[in-house]
Amino acid sequence: MKYILQVDFPHAGPFKEEFTETFTDLAKDIAREEGLIWKIWTENEETKEGGGIYLFDNLADANRYLDKHTKRLESFGYSNIRGKIFNVNEALSLIDGAHL
């Protein structure tokens, strides 16, 4: 079974190209996380939010990463970090074009 981790938090900026430049090294580090299949980075300048959607191949790594990433974000000065883990219904997701 695969698991989605959804993380979001208040983020005052940067956004767009500056966001990419600022977080490229972090993205490279996250890419090496055990159990991670992929991450989609999210940002919303209008609502001042940042975050990501992650696909993990097991629940233990999703939980471990949520704890690790929450602590890392807090060390960056972020607060009100929200994280949720969901089971992936692979059969229905594949019908709708998901790349699992």
Side-chain angles (χ1 to χ4, degrees), residues 22-54:
T22 300
F23 294 108
T24 295
D25 287 340
L26 178 58
K28 290 176 182 177
D29 182 66
I30 291 170
R32 294 188 296 270
E33 284 294 328
E34 189 71 29
L36 178 68
I37 299 170
W38 51 251
K39 175 183 180 179
I40 296 173
W41 288 70
T42 58
E43 58 180 294
N44 188 322
E45 189 170 7
E46 185 177 309
T47 61
K48 304 291 189 231
E49 292 177 284
I53 306 294
Y54 307 74

Side-chain angles (χ1 to χ4, degrees), residues 2 16 36 53 58-60 65 73:
K2 294 184 177 81
K16 299 179 179 134
L36 178 68
I53 306 294
N58 68 83
L59 183 57
Y65 182 77
L73 290 169

Side-chain angles (χ1 to χ4, degrees), residues 32-92:
R32 294 188 296 270
E33 284 294 328
E34 189 71 29
L36 178 68
I37 299 170
W38 51 251
K39 175 183 180 179
I40 296 173
W41 288 70
T42 58
E43 58 180 294
N44 188 322
E45 189 170 7
E46 185 177 309
T47 61
K48 304 291 189 231
E49 292 177 284
I53 306 294
Y54 307 74
L55 181 64
F56 280 88
D57 63 13
N58 68 83
L59 183 57
D61 283 331
N63 277 307
R64 177 196 49 77
Y65 182 77
L66 175 57
D67 182 59
K68 174 183 176 177
H69 195 51
T70 298
K71 289 175 183 171
R72 176 174 32 209
L73 290 169
E74 289 171 342
S75 79
F76 293 165
Y78 290 104
S79 59
N80 298 321
I81 300 156
R82 297 169 298 274
K84 296 180 183 180
I85 296 175
F86 300 91
N87 297 339
V88 173
N89 184 310
E90 293 187 41
L92 294 175

